[in-house]
Amino acid sequence: MAQQRTQLWAAEADIDEDIDLNLAIGTYAQNDYEEASLQQPIADATLQAMQAHLSQQNAFAQIPDAVKAFIVHFHQAVLDNNLAEITIAYESGWNKFTEKFYAKTEWPEAELIAPLVNDDPIFLILYRELYYRHVYSRLQPNIDDRFHSFENSCELFNYLLNSDGPVQLELPEQWLWDIIDEFIYQYQVFCSWRSKVKSKTEDELVMLAEGGPQVWSSYSVLNVLYSLMQKSKINEYIAAQREGKSAEEIAEIVGEYGQRPLYRQLGYFSIVGLLRVHVLLGDFTLALKVMDNIELNQKSPFTRVTACHVTTYYYVGFCYIMLRRYPDAIRTFVTILNFIMRMKQYHTRSYQYDQISKTADRMYALFAMCHALSPSRLDDNIANIAKERFGEQYAKMSKGGEDALASFEELFLYACPKFINANSPPYDDPAAIQSLLAPPTPAEASAVDGSSQLDATHRHLQLFLSDVAAQSQIPTLRSFLKLYTSLGAPKLANFLDADEEEMVQEMMVVKQASRSFSRVPGSSSPGLLDGETITTSDLNFVIAENMVHITESTVGRRYAGWFIKNTERTQKILDDLKTMPLPATRAPGQPQQQPQQQHQQQGQRESKKVGWAKTA
């Protein structure tokens, strides 16, 4: 709008300077056509400006008054750094008005609501962050949305990282985690969308050729996360706390940025964000290395934000799977799934309940895969739930053989993260793009599958299935070994329909699969990559000459979990009974109830008891 007005004023100034007024007045009657031609550009520009102004006024008038009042209140809370009001507006107000007015449409653009907030640039950046998050979650973003959301993220992080000293801004922990989480999610979605060359229009190809390599580049995303971590000195803060240093010593170590809760929390969440990004890029060792200073327990700061808590355990567990540390993966999933089960009643109140439930389902699938590859009795309750949800696949995976690979593939594709390609297709090279857009010849189509060649998820799937295929005969071999304490090698080879050399190779595969590098509970080393070699199987054997000697260690059933679970259930029933009202007593002069009334009241009490029992 301001630019159009500036062009209009410039046009008027040029006309005033170029026209001789005396000459123009003297020939007014004879040169009507020339005068009209001079006024026409001014009229068009004025008309465009008026139309734009009227359309903006109409759009502003269509904003409900309740939404206007909410934005004004939200802005005032941010100005006052009132965390309580900001939290209510963010977690309750924004979602309430989204469901009521903008469930299937966009929120008003930031330029439209700018007069309500006095053109406050910081609040408009925060508003755009919510605006584009809504577009990504509820609608289908176009290429302009993808580019503009990246620009807004850059403005936000430049404000936080490149201002003169720490910024005077306070935001709730949930919002700070959502900013980091959404930043990585939009990067992930953009990389997946960018890799699909054949679905792009001509305009999208042009825009990607001009600015594609810089927009949502892996370097930019990693640079932001590492900068937040270094600016806040979060690793130094965690180490100082672990060493028991005083508040004054910690303040001197972390500096002015690390003392601010905003930067400290962003730095902490950036570590979890780096865990996620490195997993998406396929570097599982570096992903766990980033988490060296963070302990996985219920006292860690990330547990205060449930979504961050669940995300951390999901990606750590998946890293352990890809590193073939199945006992660590099982222990990780059991811990977080038990937490989700205990806190389920509180999760239902969260606006992120659906996302947490989907992540939990994916972790049950990953747990079923780990349990089939490395059977464990760490938690029978979680194992039973996983078998109920994925019973058919679990049965096939446990039996091994060729049928198991299809089940492993199905669950892996369902539960794994959506891996991305770090590098962009060569949009700036027209010849290379045309070769990608051209249909493949029959020889090329039969030689290589183009989709799997470019799909990072299938590359990781093939790596995982190669390890699974090597262990496909283990369940069959274990079933034979459990029947004997000593067995001749020729007889065992006959059972397996293989010669003795192949049988020995399979025995070595069983021996290797029964050992794993795993963390030892209670060890002094907190690193997620640390550990030692342990035995994961209750079956052991030695080969002496032509005899196989088998020993099996029986592990007694653990009853502690069963008793704890039923104790908690009994305690809940007792608490419900204590909160129930006592039955009314009959006053001395009150007449005795008729049998029919007593029967009706008894039936009502029984019906209430049945309903309560179902919910308990």
Side-chain angles (χ1 to χ4, degrees):
M1 182 69 71
Q3 185 178 2
Q4 293 174 353
R5 291 176 180 171
T6 304
Q7 294 174 356
L8 174 59
W9 297 334
E12 292 176 346
D14 293 341
I15 293 171
D16 291 340
E17 292 175 1
D18 295 339
I19 296 176
D20 188 345
L21 294 178
N22 295 329
L23 182 61
I25 294 173
T27 59
Y28 180 79
Q30 292 83 6
N31 296 321
D32 292 337
Y33 177 78
E34 294 179 1
E35 182 68 12
S37 65
L38 290 172
Q39 293 180 355
Q40 187 63 33
I42 303 176
D44 289 344
T46 306
L47 181 61
Q48 292 177 3
M50 292 177 61
Q51 288 177 346
H53 183 66
L54 288 175
S55 62
Q56 188 174 9
Q57 284 185 336
N58 291 334
F60 184 80
Q62 291 176 1
I63 301 177
D65 292 338
V67 175
K68 293 178 182 177
F70 166 73
I71 292 174
V72 172
H73 175 74
F74 200 176
H75 174 236
Q76 189 60 45
V78 173
L79 284 180
D80 298 338
N81 282 335
N82 190 336
L83 280 179
E85 293 295 331
I86 295 174
T87 303
I88 294 173
Y90 174 73
E91 296 187 0
S92 177
W94 179 269
N95 295 295
K96 181 181 71 174
F97 287 115
T98 296
E99 295 294 339
K100 188 174 182 180
F101 299 108
Y102 304 107
K104 296 182 180 180
T105 185
E106 299 174 348
W107 272 74
E109 294 185 358
E111 291 74 16
L112 202 59
I113 61 102
L116 294 173
V117 298
N118 299 324
D119 293 322
D120 184 351
I122 306 307
F123 182 82
L124 291 179
I125 291 175
L126 296 174
Y127 177 84
R128 289 191 190 97
E129 193 272 330
L130 295 172
Y131 171 88
Y132 288 117
R133 192 194 309 175
H134 170 71
V135 171
Y136 274 84
S137 62
R138 297 294 186 98
L139 310 173
Q140 185 64 34
N142 54 34
I143 189 170
D144 291 328
D145 294 327
R146 299 178 192 274
F147 276 56
H148 292 160
S149 65
F150 175 72
E151 294 171 0
N152 187 71
S153 297
C154 292
E155 290 182 10
L156 174 59
F157 292 120
N158 283 333
Y159 166 69
L160 295 174
L161 295 170
N162 299 327
S163 298
D164 297 332
V167 300
Q168 301 300 317
L169 179 66
E170 297 293 339
L171 296 177
E173 288 182 332
Q174 181 67 59
W175 194 353
L176 294 175
W177 161 252
D178 289 339
I179 287 175
I180 299 296
D181 181 65
E182 186 67 20
F183 178 62
I184 299 173
Y185 170 74
Q186 292 178 11
Y187 157 70
Q188 176 186 359
V189 171
F190 183 85
C191 290
S192 300
W193 173 81
R194 183 181 58 189
S195 64
K196 301 174 183 177
V197 181
K198 295 185 178 181
S199 63
K200 301 295 179 289
T201 63
E202 291 295 332
D203 294 338
E204 291 174 344
L205 290 175
V206 171
M207 293 184 67
L208 288 170
E210 293 176 353
Q214 290 76 31
V215 176
W216 290 116
S217 66
S218 300
Y219 173 79
S220 300
V221 174
L222 291 172
N223 184 42
V224 166
L225 297 175
Y226 276 109
S227 297
L228 288 171
M229 188 175 68
Q230 294 170 1
K231 180 74 75 172
S232 64
K233 295 187 177 180
I234 185 62
N235 284 321
E236 292 83 350
Y237 174 82
I238 296 174
Q241 272 200 327
R242 187 178 299 150
E243 294 171 2
K245 294 185 179 295
S246 64
E248 292 78 8
E249 292 175 327
I250 293 177
E252 184 179 354
I253 291 173
V254 300
E256 57 178 351
Y257 284 92
Q259 297 178 45
R260 304 281 301 179
L262 175 76
Y263 287 92
R264 187 165 61 246
Q265 292 161 3
L266 281 174
Y268 196 92
F269 293 144
S270 294
I271 296 177
V272 180
L274 285 169
L275 163 71
R276 178 179 174 184
V277 172
H278 287 309
V279 170
L280 296 178
L281 295 175
D283 195 340
F284 308 106
T285 302
L286 182 56
L288 293 181
K289 185 66 178 176
V290 171
M291 297 280 293
D292 263 350
N293 290 315
I294 295 184
E295 297 182 6
L296 294 186
N297 55 46
Q298 299 301 324
K299 297 180 181 180
S300 296
F302 64 78
T303 59
R304 294 198 294 263
V305 180
T306 304
C308 179
H309 190 184
V310 174
T311 299
T312 302
Y313 274 82
Y314 168 75
Y315 283 100
V316 168
F318 189 83
C319 286
Y320 281 138
I321 291 178
M322 299 307 291
L323 295 175
R324 303 178 184 177
R325 295 175 59 167
Y326 303 117
D328 285 336
I330 291 175
R331 191 181 301 111
T332 303
F333 292 136
V334 165
T335 301
I336 189 61
L337 290 173
N338 277 324
F339 168 79
I340 293 175
M341 289 177 59
R342 290 195 303 267
M343 305 297 290
K344 189 174 183 179
Q345 56 180 335
Y346 303 107
H347 294 161
T348 56
R349 305 174 188 173
S350 172
Y351 64 96
Q352 295 182 331
Y353 173 72
D354 292 338
Q355 184 63 34
I356 293 173
S357 298
K358 292 178 182 178
T359 306
D361 286 338
R362 294 162 67 187
M363 286 191 286
Y364 276 114
L366 294 174
F367 175 85
M369 291 165 47
C370 296
H371 199 269
L373 291 171
S374 179
S376 169
R377 302 198 63 174
L378 185 63
D379 192 299
D380 292 338
N381 190 26
I382 298 296
N384 292 333
I385 295 176
K387 292 176 184 178
E388 290 175 2
R389 299 190 181 188
F390 307 100
E392 182 180 354
Q393 295 92 334
Y394 181 80
K396 293 180 180 179
M397 292 186 298
S398 299
K399 291 180 180 178
E402 297 180 357
D403 295 339
L405 291 178
S407 298
F408 276 109
E409 179 178 358
E410 178 185 355
L411 291 187
F412 185 91
L413 292 176
Y414 166 71
C416 73
K418 303 302 180 285
F419 296 101
I420 58 177
N421 292 315
N423 297 322
S424 168
Y427 287 105
D428 53 348
D429 188 349
I433 289 297
Q434 290 301 322
S435 64
L436 291 175
L437 293 175
T441 62
E444 293 174 345
S446 60
V448 61
D449 185 2
S451 61
S452 62
Q453 182 185 13
L454 297 176
D455 190 2
T457 301
H458 282 83
R459 289 201 296 269
H460 290 288
L461 172 64
Q462 295 304 321
L463 291 173
F464 175 72
L465 291 182
S466 64
D467 182 56
V468 173
Q471 304 183 37
S472 60
Q473 298 301 322
I474 290 180
T476 303
L477 186 54
R478 282 173 55 88
S479 64
F480 288 127
L481 294 178
K482 284 189 173 183
L483 298 176
Y484 299 90
T485 56
S486 60
L487 181 64
K491 187 175 182 181
L492 180 59
N494 187 31
F495 287 156
L496 298 174
D497 294 330
D499 55 34
E500 292 189 24
E501 184 176 354
E502 293 178 356
M503 183 270 296
V504 172
Q505 293 178 355
E506 293 184 7
M507 296 283 283
M508 292 300 100
V509 173
V510 174
K511 179 70 74 173
Q512 177 65 26
S514 65
R515 296 181 178 181
S516 176
F517 193 78
S518 175
R519 298 180 69 199
V520 178
S523 62
S524 59
S525 180
L528 298 181
L529 287 172
D530 298 330
E532 59 185 49
T533 303
I534 63 172
T535 301
T536 61
S537 175
D538 56 355
L539 191 69
N540 196 11
F541 62 87
V542 293
I543 301 177
E545 297 181 355
N546 287 333
M547 292 296 295
V548 180
H549 301 279
I550 304 107
T551 58
E552 183 176 3
S553 59
T554 304
V555 180
R557 182 176 180 181
R558 300 182 178 180
Y559 296 98
W562 185 87
F563 280 110
I564 292 173
K565 179 182 67 176
N566 285 277
T567 302
E568 291 177 349
R569 184 177 300 173
T570 306
Q571 183 64 40
K572 184 179 182 301
I573 294 173
L574 180 60
D575 293 341
D576 291 339
L577 289 174
K578 289 180 178 179
T579 57
M580 290 179 63
L582 295 173
T585 58
R586 182 170 59 88
Q590 183 178 0
Q592 187 176 2
Q593 293 182 345
Q594 297 296 327
Q596 185 177 0
Q597 294 178 350
Q598 293 179 355
H599 179 71
Q600 291 177 353
Q601 291 182 1
Q602 183 178 2
Q604 292 176 358
R605 287 195 298 269
E606 290 178 355
S607 63
K608 290 181 180 179
K609 181 178 179 182
V610 171
W612 167 79
K614 289 181 179 178
T615 59

